[in-house]
Amino acid sequence: LLQYQLSPAEVVKEVRWKAEAMALAVVNHLESAGIFAVELFVDNNDNVWLNETAPRVHNSGHDTIEGNFSSQYDMVWRIILGLPLGNTKKISQTALVNLIGNSDGVIDENDPALNEILKIENAFVHLYGKKENRPGRKMGHVTLLGDDRSTLVYLANKVRHIWENGGAIND
């Protein structure tokens, strides 16, 4: 289960070309209109591997809500309405941290971990409204915006630590 992702990915152009070619081949093979998530992994030998596809908006693109001029949600509406596609350029680098269920009970606005996470500048919390919080269940995500990749990695790990420890922080 994905702990966090960074966008844009830092890959050499040859790997980017492989990834683009694979994603296009997969989507063209599916012969369907709409928006597709094509989730890929790159191994230590620069091989590109297909992980999953989804003919819809997908958690892999949730960072586009704050991080891009047109989010994946904007794009699907444009497709449905027959409008021109929007600007896909990034506004900022992003880190997306999944909030994985870690206990029983309900997550609400009084959750100490969420209150601590919201103190982080340029952190955006998205809860999925799931009634049951159980270990291993994806309950939401946090998008972090920033210009410095190492700071984003630090903040992503900080968010994970806060979440996993119920709001306790030790910097």
Side-chain angles (χ1 to χ4, degrees), residues 79-130:
I79 292 166
I80 290 168
L81 297 172
L83 299 171
L85 296 179
N87 180 351
T88 59
K89 291 183 178 159
K90 292 201 76 58
I91 295 169
S92 175
Q93 293 183 66
T94 60
L96 181 138
V97 183
N98 283 324
L99 299 177
I100 308 302
N102 52 16
S103 65
D104 296 324
V106 177
I107 299 170
D108 64 20
E109 67 278 357
N110 297 313
D111 187 288
L114 292 180
N115 287 320
E116 202 59 45
I117 290 167
L118 286 168
K119 293 177 184 176
I120 298 171
E121 187 175 359
N122 295 322
F124 300 87
V125 174
H126 298 267
L127 297 178
Y128 301 158
K130 296 177 179 177

Side-chain angles (χ1 to χ4, degrees), residues 36-72:
F36 282 85
V38 180
E39 197 171 81
L40 305 168
F41 292 130
V42 178
D43 67 20
N44 291 331
N45 297 318
D46 287 340
N47 296 307
V48 179
W49 299 92
L50 177 65
N51 181 51
E52 75 176 293
T53 64
R56 57 176 169 70
V57 294
H58 190 265
N59 61 306
S60 294
H62 285 343
D63 69 302
T64 63
I65 297 167
E66 288 89 19
N68 290 58
F69 287 101
S70 292
S71 75
Q72 63 177 347

Side-chain angles (χ1 to χ4, degrees), residues 108-171:
D108 64 20
E109 67 278 357
N110 297 313
D111 187 288
L114 292 180
N115 287 320
E116 202 59 45
I117 290 167
L118 286 168
K119 293 177 184 176
I120 298 171
E121 187 175 359
N122 295 322
F124 300 87
V125 174
H126 298 267
L127 297 178
Y128 301 158
K130 296 177 179 177
K131 300 287 185 214
E132 184 182 347
N133 176 15
R134 62 178 185 263
R137 186 174 197 201
K138 199 176 300 179
M139 302 303 296
H141 73 272
V142 176
T143 305
L144 301 160
L145 302 181
D147 295 326
D148 179 65
R149 195 170 191 86
S150 60
T151 301
L152 282 173
V153 169
Y154 167 77
L155 291 174
N157 282 307
K158 181 176 181 175
V159 167
R160 285 183 58 221
H161 177 80
I162 292 168
W163 181 252
E164 291 167 3
N165 292 287
I169 59 169
N170 298 320
D171 266 344

Side-chain angles (χ1 to χ4, degrees), residues 22-40:
M22 184 179 286
L24 286 171
V26 167
V27 171
N28 286 332
H29 180 74
L30 294 173
E31 297 180 0
S32 180
I35 190 167
F36 282 85
V38 180
E39 197 171 81
L40 305 168

